[in-house]
Amino acid sequence: MATDSATASNGVPANAGAATESSAADGAGGAGSPAAKRLTSKAPPRPGAIVIALATGFAVAALLLLVGVGSLIGQVLLVPPLAASAALVFGAPALPLSQPRSVVGGQLLSAGTGFVVLAVAGSSAAAAAVAGGLALGVMMAARTPHSPAAATAVIVVLTEPRALTFLPLLALACGLLVLVGVVAGRSGRGVRYPAYWW
């Protein structure tokens, strides 16, 4: 007697095993299970390859520009918080933290906060911690949020630079980052920068 095409030789429907495996997968953490939903990323989608390449290229160019200009004038322009600033300007140009008001204002206000703490409390790890925290409050009050700048306040307290040298150099470095950001924002890919100046 001929066997039905949908039935295996043992009399069990051919697709029964697949259905059983699917049910077992769902019960053990399949795509629709609560465990799978908890593990599903809520991160924003990955930008396109061209956007990633341009953002990376402009960030590298901007930071190399700081190194080059610093070498020309015999000063250090590239301090670590500015690499984080570049990541915001080129990687998230639409955020308020990335706008020129926040990049320049946040960095300068935080550095100023660091110098005030340095003058009052001296250079210590505890004073640096206080400066970093106070810098956040100052930036929030001034509507210049820029998270990398809190690290600038810490650096000021720990390294004790001369204010009359450090502040103009910091302003120059921030201005150069913003300038390259404006060029990147007119590249025709991604978000136009800046969203606002002031």
Side-chain angles (χ1 to χ4, degrees):
M1 183 171 126
T3 306
D4 188 336
S5 62
T7 304
S9 58
N10 62 0
V12 178
N15 61 357
T20 304
E21 289 172 10
S22 175
S23 297
D26 286 344
S33 73
K37 288 179 181 174
R38 281 194 299 273
L39 295 175
T40 301
S41 174
K42 292 180 177 59
R46 181 182 297 108
I50 294 176
V51 173
I52 293 173
L54 285 173
T56 303
F58 277 115
V60 170
L63 296 174
L64 285 174
L65 177 64
L66 296 187
V67 172
V69 172
S71 295
L72 284 175
I73 63 177
Q75 299 286 344
V76 175
L77 288 187
L78 178 59
V79 292
L82 292 179
S85 295
L88 283 173
V89 169
F90 302 105
L95 289 181
L97 279 71
S98 306
Q99 304 312 310
R101 173 189 173 101
S102 290
V103 174
V104 179
Q107 286 285 4
L108 291 176
L109 286 172
S110 292
T113 302
F115 281 113
V116 169
V117 171
L118 181 62
V120 171
S123 179
S124 69
V130 170
L134 288 177
L136 172 62
V138 170
M139 287 187 286
M140 290 174 72
R143 296 168 50 218
T144 58
H146 190 66
S147 49
T152 302
V154 171
I155 286 175
V156 165
V157 173
L158 292 179
T159 62
E160 304 179 72
R162 291 181 58 241
L164 292 179
T165 302
F166 186 84
L167 290 173
L169 292 173
L170 182 62
L172 173 62
C174 291
L176 291 172
L177 280 183
V178 167
L179 178 63
V180 179
V182 171
V183 172
R186 278 142 181 80
S187 66
R189 297 283 184 173
V191 178
R192 189 171 176 85
Y193 179 85
Y196 58 87
W197 285 94
W198 185 253

